[in-house]
Amino acid sequence: MRSRSFVFNATRSVPLLTLALLTWALPASAQAQSHAQSTEVSPPGDRQRVQVVVHFDAPPTPIARFERQNNRLIIDVPNADLNGAFPPLTPSVGVVAGVLTQSFASGDKRTVRVLVTLHEAARYGVAPRGNDLVISLQPGGTGVIDEPLRPVETKSAKQTEATRVDDIRFEHKGADDRVIVRAFPPPSHVTSSVTSSGTRIVLDGTSLPPQLARIMDVGAFAGRVGKIATYPEASNPERVIIEVEHPPGTQHRLVREAGALVFEFYATNDQPTSLTGIARDGGIARKVRTVSTVEMPLHLPRIEDGNALEASNGVETATVPEQVQGVTPALFGQARDRYSGRRIDLDLKDADIHNVLRLLADVGHVNIITADNVTGTVTIRMRNVPWDQALDVILQAKNLGVVRQANLLRVAPLSELEKEREMAIARLKQETQLAPVETRLIPVSYANAGEISHRAKELLSERGSISVDERTNVMIVRDVAGNLNQVEELTRALDTQTPQVLVEARIVEATSRYLRDVGIQWGGDASFSPVTANPTGLAFPNSIGVVGGASDTNTPTAGLSPTQNRVDSPNFAVNLPAAVGTGQGGAIGLTFGSIDNTINLALRLSAAEANGMVRILSSPRVLTLDNRDARIAQGTLIPFSQVSAMGVQTTFQEAKLQLLVRPHVTADGSVSMHVKINRDEPDFTQTSARGDPMILKREAETDLLVMDGHTAVIGGIYTRNTGRNLDQVPFFGDIPILGLLFQRRRASDQRGELVIFLTPRIVNRAEALGR
C-alpha cells in the first residue's frame, strides 16, 4: 500500500470522525496483528449497568484511564488495528452517550483507542474476556465497580502459576512519589479507586507474604504520600490490598519498569496533556486532550505510559526517557531543579516557532511575547513531559532566551538579551556614579563596631567610606542610599545578642564495701612430773610437758581471763584470730583446766563483718558566652616538704574540683562543647614514708554536641575488687569438718562507680536565636 501524508491547518477544526478516518488511512506497514471486528452496546440491565463489548480476533491487552472532568473513559489497546469495515461510532444507550473507536500510530506500531462518552459520572470496570474487550458502566458515583469483570481463565502455564508479591517499596523521585510492587508472575487483574483518605489498589489472584503485611510511614520524605498500608483481604486471601494515603487533588498512574508495577502519584497540575499534529508551511493542526487520570492496566502483560517498552523473544525491558536537566539560557545561570507544568505530548514537524510558542502559551496559561527577529521552524517529538520543560528545550535548540515576569514571558535571541543585560549593568553603574552621597549613623548594641566595619567595607562603592566611634560604638557610613541600606541590613543581621550558656556538671561517686573475717585461737598446756605429783612412773620418760607455742606478746588474749584483759602466756597452739576491736567484730574466750592445773585448755573465737556504702555528689556549674572559655574550681592546697642542698622547702599540690568548658551554640539551638572535668582529693589512708597523703585523681575531657536543656552522660568508671583469703595449719586444715579448728577465713568485696553528667542551657535563647 502506498504511504500517504496529510497537512492540517491550525485555523480549522477537524471533527473527531474525520480524524478517525484519517488515522485509519495510514500505511499498512504499521498495522498490527490484532484487529477490532465490531462493537456492541447492550441496553441497561441489572442495576442500570450498560456493557460495551469490542470484538477482536486476538486477546486484547487494554490500558484504561478515566477523564473525570469530561465524563469520558478512554481505553487503549496496543498492537491492534481496526478492521476495514469497522463502524467508528455507536448510538446512545443508557448512561453511554456514544462510543468512538479509532486507531493511530504509536511509533512503528498501531493502537486502537475506544472513547466512551458518558451522560453523567459513572463507575466502570474493564477486562478482557477471550478475544473480547468488555466495558461495564454503572451510573451513580465514580471509581471502579465493586464487582469488576474477571478475565477468562486459560490453560497456559504462566496463568496457572500463582502470583506472589516479592517486594513493595517506596521511592521519592523528583516531584513524583512512586510505590513499586514486584510480583511474579505479573498480576492478571489490577484495579484502583479513590477513597476519602487516598487511593485503594487491589491486586486480584495474588498472595502476600506475612512479612510484607505492614504499614510504611513515608511522610518524612516530604512528598505527597504519607502512609502505605499493605494487607491481604480478610474474606479472600488471594486478593492483596494496597492503601496509599495522600492529600486531595493527587492523581496517579500505573507504569511497568523492568518487570515491576510502579504506581506514580503526582499533583493535579502535573496531569498529562497531549498535543499532536503534523505541520508544513507554518500551519499546525492540533488536538488538545487534558487528562486528569486514574490509569489502570487490566489483565495487562505490557503497560505503556511514560516509558518505552521493548520486547525481545518474550522478554520485556523498559527504557525510561531521559529528563532534560539543562539550564534555560534566559535564566542567566540559574538552574531549574524541577518542572511543575502540565504534562503534554508533542509531535510537530517543520512547525513555525511563533505558532509553537502560541501553542505552549495556551497550554501553560501564560502570556508569551515574541520578538520580531525570532524566526525558524521546529521539529520535535516529546511524550509525557511538562510544558515548561518543553519550552526550555525548544529555546535551547533555537538559541533563544526568555525573560520571566510573573506569567509574562518575553522570548528573544539570547545574544540580544545578553546585550540588554550588559546595558542594564552599565546603566546601574552610571546611576551609582551620579547618585548623591549620604551619611548615616548606624549604632551597634551587642557586637563590636570595629569588627562589623571590616565586613561592611565590602558592600561600599568606590565613593563610600566608613569609620567607627569607639566611645559610643557607632559606625559612621558615607555612601549612596542603596549601599547604606545594605550596610544597615548587614549590621542588623550581625548585631544580635551573643548566646549565654549555663553549663552544669554532676559528678556522682558511689562506693560499697563488704568485709567478713572469722578466726580461731586455741591451745594450752599439760604437765606430768614429780613436781606436779603425777609422774609417768617410768624411768624414761619420767616427766612429760606439752605447751602451745604459737603465741607471742602481741597475740590478742582478751576474753581468756575474767579478772584481767591480757594473759601473758595463753600458750595457743593454733593462733589464727580475726581482726576485731573497738567498733569492729567480736570475740569470746573459753578456758578449761584441772584442779591442780596440770592440764589447761584455752579457746578463743573471733569474727568481724563490715558492710557500708558511700555516695558523693559534686555539682559545679558556670555561665559563659558563646565561644568563650569558662572555668570554676574548688579545693585545697596540700603542703609537701622537699629536702635539698638548700635545706627543707615546702611546695603545695592542688587537690580540687574543676570544670573547664568552651561552648558553641549551633544554628539549630544545640550546644557544642569542649569539656574538661577534674576531681582530685587527698587520701590520708595512703601516705608516703614522710606521711604525705596520696592524691586520688578523677578526670574526663571530651568534645560533644548536646541539645539545649538535655542531659548527656559524658563518662563513667566502674571498678570492683573481690578477695577470699584462707589461713590454716598445714594438713590439719584440710581435714573435713575438723579442719575448721585450724583455719581463718576472710572475704572482701569492694565496688566503686563514677558517673559524670553534663547539662547545657541557653539562657537567652529567644533573644539570641530568634525563637
Side-chain angles (χ1 to χ4, degrees):
M1 183 175 180
R2 187 173 54 185
S3 62
R4 304 177 178 87
S5 60
F6 298 89
V7 179
F8 297 91
N9 195 318
T11 60
R12 298 179 182 179
S13 61
V14 182
L16 293 177
L17 178 57
T18 305
L19 286 176
L21 295 176
L22 290 175
T23 54
W24 169 74
L26 289 174
S29 60
Q31 301 209 358
Q33 297 179 358
S34 179
H35 294 78
Q37 304 295 332
S38 61
T39 301
E40 297 179 4
V41 183
S42 63
D46 184 24
R47 291 177 289 185
Q48 299 299 318
R49 182 177 295 183
V50 178
Q51 280 196 347
V52 179
V53 181
V54 183
H55 301 284
F56 289 84
D57 58 2
T61 57
I63 303 175
R65 60 177 180 268
F66 191 43
E67 294 184 347
R68 295 179 179 170
Q69 292 89 342
N70 300 325
N71 292 333
R72 295 191 303 175
L73 179 64
I74 297 178
I75 302 97
D76 289 342
V77 181
N79 302 328
D81 200 358
L82 299 180
N83 193 349
F86 191 93
L89 293 173
T90 61
S92 174
V93 177
V95 71
V96 177
V99 180
L100 172 64
T101 307
Q102 57 183 344
S103 68
F104 60 90
S106 177
D108 58 348
K109 300 179 181 179
R110 298 193 62 80
T111 299
V112 169
R113 172 164 295 174
V114 181
L115 176 62
V116 182
T117 305
L118 308 176
H119 289 297
E120 59 182 271
R123 293 183 296 165
Y124 67 97
V126 181
R129 188 171 60 193
N131 292 345
D132 297 337
L133 174 63
V134 181
I135 307 167
S136 296
L137 298 149
Q138 182 175 333
T142 58
V144 181
I145 294 178
D146 296 335
E147 302 174 2
L149 296 178
R150 304 269 182 159
V152 177
E153 298 291 339
T154 62
K155 297 182 180 181
S156 63
K158 186 174 182 179
Q159 291 186 359
T160 57
E161 183 180 356
T163 300
R164 175 184 173 90
V165 177
D166 295 332
D167 185 26
I168 298 177
R169 58 187 177 90
F170 171 80
E171 182 181 86
H172 183 68
K173 186 176 183 181
D176 298 342
D177 290 342
R178 296 154 53 94
V179 179
I180 303 174
V181 180
R182 296 190 179 275
F184 183 82
S188 60
H189 196 270
V190 182
T191 58
S192 65
S193 58
V194 179
T195 63
S196 58
S197 60
T199 300
R200 188 173 188 265
I201 302 169
V202 180
L203 307 179
D204 283 314
T206 306
S207 62
L208 183 71
Q211 63 270 20
L212 295 181
R214 59 191 178 184
I215 297 178
M216 294 187 292
D217 189 352
V218 296
F221 290 93
R224 304 193 65 83
V225 175
K227 294 182 180 179
I228 304 172
T230 309
Y231 58 91
E233 193 175 55
S235 59
N236 184 8
E238 296 299 323
R239 173 180 289 183
V240 177
I241 309 298
I242 303 175
E243 292 186 354
V244 182
E245 179 184 306
H246 57 72
T250 302
Q251 304 295 333
H252 75 278
R253 57 178 173 268
L254 175 59
V255 299
R256 171 171 294 178
E257 292 183 0
L261 298 180
V262 180
F263 298 88
E264 296 183 348
F265 294 85
Y266 53 93
T268 306
N269 58 356
D270 291 339
Q271 55 192 349
T273 298
S274 179
L275 305 178
T276 60
I278 303 175
R280 288 183 182 175
D281 300 332
I284 298 179
R286 65 175 181 173
K287 177 176 64 176
V288 180
R289 182 176 71 256
T290 303
V291 185
S292 177
T293 67
V294 177
E295 301 186 359
M296 291 170 289
L298 307 176
H299 191 58
L300 191 60
R302 286 174 57 85
I303 304 173
E304 298 185 8
D305 184 4
N307 296 338
L309 297 183
E310 300 175 355
S312 175
N313 298 327
V315 179
E316 299 177 0
T317 59
T319 304
V320 182
E322 296 182 356
Q323 297 289 337
V324 178
Q325 299 294 341
V327 179
T328 303
L331 295 179
F332 299 109
Q334 300 179 4
R336 300 196 57 181
D337 296 331
R338 55 181 295 183
Y339 296 95
S340 59
R342 179 181 300 171
R343 296 178 179 273
I344 62 174
D345 295 341
L346 283 177
D347 188 3
L348 305 173
K349 181 179 180 182
D350 297 335
D352 184 69
I353 185 65
H354 290 269
N355 292 332
V356 174
L357 295 177
R358 290 179 58 195
L359 184 63
L360 295 176
D362 187 18
V363 174
H365 302 291
V366 295
N367 302 315
I368 294 182
I369 301 175
T370 308
D372 295 337
N373 53 355
V374 175
T375 59
T377 59
V378 176
T379 299
I380 188 173
R381 178 180 175 84
M382 294 183 179
R383 183 180 183 186
N384 194 24
V385 296
W387 72 266
D388 48 352
Q389 183 181 5
L391 175 62
D392 284 351
V393 172
I394 293 174
L395 295 180
Q396 290 178 7
K398 305 303 292 183
N399 199 22
L400 299 175
V402 60
V403 177
R404 303 172 185 266
Q405 296 178 355
N407 67 336
L408 181 63
L409 308 178
R410 182 170 69 91
V411 178
L414 184 60
S415 58
E416 181 177 338
L417 294 179
E418 291 177 349
K419 291 181 180 179
E420 292 180 1
R421 184 184 179 220
E422 293 175 357
M423 293 177 61
I425 295 175
R427 185 166 54 253
L428 290 176
K429 291 182 178 179
Q430 186 177 7
E431 292 176 357
T432 303
Q433 295 295 331
L434 299 178
V437 177
E438 301 178 4
T439 301
R440 187 173 301 178
L441 301 179
I442 303 177
V444 181
S445 301
Y446 305 104
N448 186 283
E451 296 178 356
I452 294 182
S453 63
H454 292 295
R455 297 176 175 85
K457 286 182 179 180
E458 301 176 357
L459 303 178
L460 301 179
S461 64
E462 298 177 356
R463 304 167 60 193
S465 62
I466 186 171
S467 59
V468 176
D469 181 23
E470 296 181 357
R471 185 183 68 85
T472 58
N473 204 34
V474 173
M475 294 192 305
I476 305 171
V477 187
R478 182 175 176 82
D479 205 344
V480 296
N483 292 346
L484 293 178
N485 294 335
Q486 295 182 15
V487 173
E488 190 170 5
E489 183 177 355
L490 175 65
T491 303
R492 284 197 301 268
L494 298 180
D495 186 24
T496 59
Q497 285 193 20
T498 302
Q500 299 185 72
V501 183
L502 176 64
V503 181
E504 179 182 0
R506 289 184 179 89
I507 306 173
V508 181
E509 296 179 73
T511 303
S512 64
R513 181 183 180 187
Y514 173 77
L515 177 64
R516 184 180 63 186
D517 191 356
V518 179
I520 187 171
Q521 295 169 281
W522 65 268
D525 60 88
S527 177
F528 301 93
S529 67
V531 178
T532 58
N534 60 346
T536 62
L538 301 175
F540 181 86
N542 183 263
S543 300
I544 297 177
V546 180
V547 179
S551 58
D552 55 21
T553 58
N554 296 324
T555 299
T557 60
L560 296 180
S561 174
T563 59
Q564 56 184 358
N565 191 31
R566 180 174 180 79
V567 178
D568 293 334
S569 300
N571 295 329
F572 287 138
V574 176
N575 191 6
L576 298 173
V580 298
T582 303
Q584 182 177 1
I588 185 171
L590 302 173
T591 59
F592 306 92
S594 63
I595 295 176
D596 54 0
N597 290 327
T598 58
I599 299 176
N600 296 308
L601 177 64
L603 175 66
R604 184 175 183 269
L605 299 176
S606 58
E609 183 173 340
N611 191 356
M613 177 178 291
V614 178
R615 182 181 179 185
I616 302 175
L617 175 62
S618 305
S619 180
R621 63 186 67 184
V622 64
L623 179 66
T624 182
L625 291 176
D626 186 26
N627 289 324
R628 300 293 178 90
D629 291 328
R631 183 174 64 91
I632 185 172
Q634 178 188 10
T636 59
L637 295 176
I638 302 175
F640 289 88
S641 299
Q642 295 181 351
V643 179
S644 63
M646 300 178 63
V648 179
Q649 297 180 351
T650 301
T651 60
F652 294 89
Q653 176 66 37
E654 290 184 343
K656 61 183 179 180
L657 171 66
Q658 175 179 266
L659 171 63
L660 179 63
V661 62
R662 181 183 181 90
H664 169 64
V665 178
T666 62
D668 60 350
S670 300
V671 181
S672 174
M673 296 176 289
H674 176 78
V675 183
K676 183 178 181 180
I677 300 177
N678 296 83
R679 188 182 185 279
D680 304 336
E681 62 178 352
D683 184 7
F684 291 96
T685 62
Q686 303 181 52
T687 59
S688 64
R690 294 194 302 268
D692 299 328
M694 307 289 288
I695 302 296
L696 300 179
K697 298 184 66 67
R698 300 169 183 86
E699 179 178 328
E701 183 175 4
T702 183
D703 293 276
L704 71 159
L705 177 67
V706 186
M707 295 182 63
D708 178 28
H710 288 213
T711 300
V713 180
I714 67 171
I717 299 176
Y718 176 78
T719 60
R720 180 179 182 182
N721 297 327
T722 60
R724 298 179 65 89
N725 294 339
L726 177 62
D727 300 332
Q728 66 179 13
V729 177
F731 178 73
F732 294 99
D734 296 330
I735 300 175
I737 301 176
L738 294 178
L740 297 176
L741 299 175
F742 301 89
Q743 293 178 349
R744 176 190 179 188
R745 295 176 178 270
R746 288 176 293 173
S748 63
D749 188 358
Q750 186 172 357
R751 307 181 187 186
E753 186 171 6
L754 172 67
V755 183
I756 302 175
F757 301 89
L758 200 67
T759 304
R761 291 184 176 88
I762 304 176
V763 177
N764 57 340
R765 180 187 179 98
E767 294 79 3
L769 302 181
R771 53 183 177 275

